[in-house]
Amino acid sequence: QVQLVESGGGLVQAGGSLRLSCAASGRTISTYAMGWFRQAPGKEREFVAVISWSGGTTSYADSVKGRFTISRDNAKNTVYLQMNSLKPEDTAAYYCAAGASYSVVARTYLYWGQGTQVTVSS
């Protein structure tokens, strides 16, 4: 079992930055692909970014490409999401997830955190 805990969310003005962290425990995440997803009120959970187990491959949703960066430190069992140039439409609860395969599809992920709220004011 893998337990995931997100942190780093908060309230920020449009144009600002936040860095989310996802700390894992229970077992190493070094063999898992790690993804970030988000869910706004009344909307379905959507893919944000994914990183391969080695960190060598990343993919992003078009809506965040060029603004967000996913990274990982397997020695610290932690994954990060650096979010720059934030927009009000980025407001959502952000979740990290661990999966056996590199995927943009939420249902393929095995373990999920509880989420951290990001609110961007205009």
Side-chain angles (χ1 to χ4, degrees):
Q1 285 281 4
V2 177
Q3 291 80 44
L4 302 172
V5 178
E6 302 95 337
S7 62
L11 174 63
V12 64
Q13 288 188 334
S17 298
L18 284 174
R19 188 194 195 202
L20 305 184
S21 298
C22 172
S25 62
R27 62 179 294 177
T28 178
I29 59 169
S30 62
T31 60
Y32 291 97
M34 298 297 296
W36 284 96
F37 293 78
R38 66 187 182 185
Q39 188 167 17
K43 295 187 177 181
E44 293 188 355
R45 191 167 297 190
E46 65 173 1
F47 165 75
V48 175
V50 59
I51 188 167
S52 62
W53 66 269
S54 67
T57 304
T58 58
S59 297
Y60 299 90
D62 288 343
S63 59
V64 307
K65 202 170 294 183
R67 300 187 297 122
F68 290 12
T69 303
I70 189 172
S71 61
R72 67 190 299 161
D73 185 338
N74 286 339
K76 294 184 178 179
N77 231 24
T78 301
V79 179
Y80 305 97
L81 185 68
Q82 177 67 43
M83 306 186 295
N84 298 328
S85 302
L86 283 161
K87 304 175 181 179
E89 51 263 44
D90 294 319
T91 295
Y94 283 71
Y95 301 87
C96 70
S101 58
Y102 187 86
S103 172
V104 303
V105 179
R107 67 176 181 271
T108 66
Y109 284 78
L110 303 173
Y111 305 105
W112 290 83
Q114 293 300 306
T116 185
Q117 179 67 35
V118 171
T119 302
V120 184
S121 64
S122 57

